[in-house]
Amino acid sequence: MLFNVSYRNPKITNTINQTVGLPFTLKERFALKGIGSGKLYINSSSIEIHNLLVLDSYLNVCNIEIRPDGIILGFRSLLESYALIIPYYQLKIYKGKAEEYSIYGNKHFVKIKADSPKIHRFMKKTLALKADHSSSSNQGYY
């Protein structure tokens, strides 16, 4: 789900919180050693996101916020802020090239440049949280 989050809209906030969960508490953020990715450079993206990114001449960058039930991939275009909401059950992360991660969610994708060990550690943390979430949500279905 792709949302324009430039302006406070309770319906969008509610939808985001129901889809990927409420933000982590401060204590949980310290336990996870951070929940944000920092600046990530976008190499390519799905057509809907690409059409937003080409509207300005700035560098195409994004960031990722981890939530209890998914991730929020945020980026800016012109003066607007956008959020791609991806619950863990739809999240797919591929490492194609040595320096690139592909993040897929439903019909959208973003390929980001991974040129530092910090980005690799963050993506490993995201994959581990996704695995923990899927194993805990499958309990009781044996």
Side-chain angles (χ1 to χ4, degrees), residues 2 47-56 60 75-78 82:
L2 186 62
I47 192 71
E48 191 174 351
I49 295 172
H50 176 73
N51 288 342
L52 291 170
L53 292 173
V54 297
L55 293 175
D56 59 24
N60 296 331
F75 62 93
R76 293 182 60 87
S77 177
L78 295 174
Y82 294 91

Side-chain angles (χ1 to χ4, degrees), residues 16-27:
I16 292 170
N17 290 339
Q18 288 176 354
T19 305
V20 293
L22 294 170
F24 285 110
T25 64
L26 189 60
K27 184 178 176 183

Side-chain angles (χ1 to χ4, degrees), residues 102-120:
S102 301
I103 302 168
Y104 288 84
N106 207 1
K107 63 180 182 173
H108 301 289
F109 75 89
V110 174
K111 293 186 179 186
I112 59 169
K113 185 177 178 182
D115 56 353
S116 78
K118 191 171 148 182
I119 296 170
H120 292 290

Side-chain angles (χ1 to χ4, degrees), residues 8-142:
R8 183 158 161 54
N9 185 338
K11 287 182 182 179
I12 291 175
T13 305
N14 230 3
T15 303
I16 292 170
N17 290 339
Q18 288 176 354
T19 305
V20 293
L22 294 170
F24 285 110
T25 64
L26 189 60
K27 184 178 176 183
E28 292 169 326
R29 291 176 190 209
F30 278 118
L32 289 171
K33 297 180 182 166
I35 59 160
S37 66
K39 187 186 291 187
L40 303 169
Y41 293 95
I42 300 173
N43 289 340
S44 63
S45 62
S46 59
I47 192 71
E48 191 174 351
I49 295 172
H50 176 73
N51 288 342
L52 291 170
L53 292 173
V54 297
L55 293 175
D56 59 24
S57 60
Y58 299 116
L59 284 175
N60 296 331
V61 294
C62 67
N63 64 351
I64 297 173
E65 177 189 345
I66 298 173
R67 290 280 185 104
D69 298 327
I71 66 168
I72 300 174
L73 190 141
F75 62 93
R76 293 182 60 87
S77 177
L78 295 174
L79 296 175
E80 304 288 317
S81 297
Y82 294 91
L84 178 60
I85 312 304
I86 308 173
Y88 283 135
Y89 67 88
Q90 291 181 350
L91 176 66
K92 294 186 182 33
I93 299 176
Y94 299 107
K95 188 170 190 310
K97 301 175 187 173
E99 302 275 322
E100 184 177 78
Y101 282 98
S102 301
I103 302 168
Y104 288 84
N106 207 1
K107 63 180 182 173
H108 301 289
F109 75 89
V110 174
K111 293 186 179 186
I112 59 169
K113 185 177 178 182
D115 56 353
S116 78
K118 191 171 148 182
I119 296 170
H120 292 290
R121 284 193 302 269
F122 181 80
M123 297 310 268
K124 285 180 185 176
K125 182 195 311 186
T126 305
L127 287 170
L129 287 170
K130 177 185 186 247
D132 288 346
H133 183 268
S134 65
S135 67
S136 66
S137 65
N138 287 336
Q139 289 178 353
Y141 291 110
Y142 295 108

